[in-house]
Amino acid sequence: MVKQERAARTRQALVRAAAEVFAREGFAPASLAVISARAGVSNGALHFHFENKNALARAVELEAAERLARITSPRPALPGGALQALVDATHALMGALADDVVVRAGFDLSADLSRTGGPDLRGVWRGWVERMLHDAEREGHLAEGLSSRGAAPAVVAATVGFEVLGAADREWLSATKITGFWELMLPRLAPGRPVVPAGPHDTTPQ
Amino acid sequence: MVKQERAARTRQALVRAAAEVFAREGFAPASLAVISARAGVSNGALHFHFENKNALARAVELEAAERLARITSPRPALPGGALQALVDATHALMGALADDVVVRAGFDLSADLSRTGGPDLRGVWRGWVERMLHDAEREGHLAEGLSSRGAAPAVVAATVGFEVLGAADREWLSATKITGFWELMLPRLAPGRPVVPAGPHDTTPQ
């Protein structure tokens, strides 16, 4: 049992170290020797857990996909409905991209066109945004004359833009930027609705 | 003279072939042998013009920067003012990303965090978007209570999002998607202003 625990801990340290190196250098230039040194394990231990660099990158992507699934998991009905859930999840995703290197590296790896076959994290996010806007439309919360199909591309594109710009400059992931985005969009999407643009994680006064 | 012309033409063929290979495979995996074969020139000719793969990528980025500068160059005053210029340039940029492989590869290369020192194409675009919104504010065209500083991040993030999503799926660069984005945003940014969301390149009836 102790041995299994240690193995799981070593694996987790390798995934984290790999995420740090991939996020900083990109997949292609990253070196397995740098990753194992950073995790504090031998090259042999690395190869015991992961066949090659691609397997390590895949583990980072799958771990990021799990964390994204938690961010977009069903939550208790909110006064602002599906739109509030969408606003809150946008704040949570940008916070994770800023603070959790596994999520950051997972999104970068998943978007790397030279790699194939892994989870499509942006595609998962996109599908969830579209579902939330569809739910908001069914709830009767969207502005008159506005459909969820009309609104979704702008919200998907902007949130992907914040994600991408945040890789080079974390300021794009800040609660201030995301709140500003929703302050701009919400009066157009759902005028008069009680949706809080700051999300649940912001402690600045409303 | 004829010799110089031929050299210029060879150089141009190499830049184009490199852009095609970089856009399809990414910078790191791209092979110089594939690029010279695609350009129809010898490896020796490639190395006469470009010291290494990095020099070739830099030439693609600089050519893309010139084309971006043409897209954002000053134009005659439009009835819709700076906002119309912004809408029109967004359509022109997305059209170029869809149809001009040098612009597409230039943006991809410029955003590759493992490469440094080249032109920052997204940064140039961002600065220009901010300037246009600032001009629209000075023209008195923005909605009451809305500043250009409040509006710019959403427009920058969304247009960067369309650019990035368009690398994997050109549908994101279509006139339909960009027109839909502006149909959503313009009533919030400048209600009642005569800004045409379809831009100048769209021939569908208004």
Side-chain angles (χ1 to χ4, degrees):
Chain A
M1 274 314 249
V2 170
K3 203 172 165 189
Q4 277 177 19
E5 247 174 55
R6 201 166 49 207
R9 220 174 277 179
T10 300
R11 192 181 186 284
Q12 202 48 40
L14 281 163
V15 167
R16 195 191 157 76
E20 287 168 355
V21 175
F22 291 147
R24 199 180 53 221
E25 301 178 10
F27 174 73
S31 129
L32 287 181
V34 169
I35 291 170
S36 57
R38 196 173 182 92
V41 308
S42 68
N43 251 311
L46 187 154
H47 285 286
F48 173 79
H49 287 280
F50 298 101
E51 197 187 340
N52 52 32
K53 193 162 72 168
N54 202 47
L56 201 41
R58 190 57 32 94
V60 172
E61 289 175 304
L62 292 173
E63 180 64 38
E66 270 183 39
R67 297 182 192 187
L68 176 60
R70 280 205 290 278
I71 287 169
T72 57
S73 66
R75 43 191 82 206
L78 298 162
L83 272 179
Q84 187 69 64
L86 175 56
V87 170
D88 293 356
T90 309
H91 279 279
L93 174 59
M94 300 306 153
L97 285 162
D99 299 332
D100 181 341
V101 74
V102 172
V103 175
R104 174 76 269 168
F107 268 83
D108 295 349
L109 289 164
S110 163
D112 185 334
L113 296 178
S114 71
R115 303 186 64 255
T116 53
D120 174 9
L121 297 182
R122 274 185 202 150
V124 170
W125 172 251
R126 173 196 174 173
W128 188 79
V129 170
E130 289 171 348
R131 257 191 330 279
M132 285 303 105
L133 286 167
H134 183 70
D135 288 356
E137 186 178 12
R138 284 194 318 176
E139 291 164 353
H141 288 187
L142 291 194
E144 216 184 301
L146 187 64
S147 70
S148 62
R149 283 174 58 99
V155 177
V156 170
T159 50
V160 167
F162 284 115
E163 176 245 300
V164 166
L165 289 159
D169 176 0
R170 285 165 50 110
E171 172 59 25
W172 285 96
L173 306 169
S174 70
T176 308
K177 275 273 195 296
I178 307 309
T179 302
F181 167 70
W182 286 115
E183 280 171 349
L184 187 75
M185 294 300 286
L186 286 171
R188 173 74 178 102
L189 294 178
R193 284 278 152 200
V195 182
V196 183
H201 303 290
D202 196 301
T203 53
T204 53
Q206 296 300 311
Chain B
M1 274 313 250
V2 169
K3 202 171 163 190
Q4 276 178 19
E5 249 173 55
R6 202 166 48 207
R9 220 173 279 178
T10 300
R11 191 180 187 285
Q12 201 49 40
L14 281 163
V15 168
R16 194 191 158 76
E20 287 167 356
V21 175
F22 291 147
R24 198 180 54 224
E25 303 179 11
F27 175 72
S31 128
L32 287 180
V34 170
I35 291 170
S36 58
R38 193 169 183 97
V41 308
S42 67
N43 251 312
L46 188 155
H47 284 285
F48 172 77
H49 286 281
F50 298 101
E51 197 187 340
N52 52 34
K53 194 161 72 167
N54 202 46
L56 201 40
R58 190 57 32 96
V60 172
E61 289 174 304
L62 291 173
E63 181 65 38
E66 270 183 40
R67 295 180 195 187
L68 175 61
R70 281 205 288 279
I71 287 169
T72 56
S73 65
R75 41 193 80 206
L78 299 161
L83 272 179
Q84 188 70 62
L86 175 57
V87 170
D88 294 357
T90 308
H91 279 280
L93 174 59
M94 300 304 155
L97 285 162
D99 299 333
D100 182 341
V101 73
V102 172
V103 174
R104 174 77 266 168
F107 269 81
D108 295 349
L109 289 164
S110 163
D112 185 335
L113 296 179
S114 70
R115 304 186 63 254
T116 53
D120 174 10
L121 298 182
R122 275 184 202 152
V124 170
W125 172 252
R126 174 197 174 174
W128 188 78
V129 169
E130 289 171 347
R131 251 186 340 274
M132 285 303 103
L133 286 167
H134 182 72
D135 288 356
E137 187 178 11
R138 284 195 318 175
E139 290 164 355
H141 288 187
L142 291 195
E144 217 183 301
L146 187 64
S147 70
S148 62
R149 282 175 59 100
V155 177
V156 169
T159 50
V160 167
F162 285 115
E163 176 245 301
V164 167
L165 290 159
D169 177 0
R170 284 163 50 108
E171 172 59 25
W172 284 96
L173 306 169
S174 70
T176 308
K177 275 273 193 297
I178 306 309
T179 302
F181 168 69
W182 285 116
E183 280 171 349
L184 186 76
M185 294 300 287
L186 286 171
R188 173 73 178 104
L189 293 178
R193 285 278 152 197
V195 181
V196 183
H201 303 290
D202 196 299
T203 53
T204 52
Q206 295 302 308

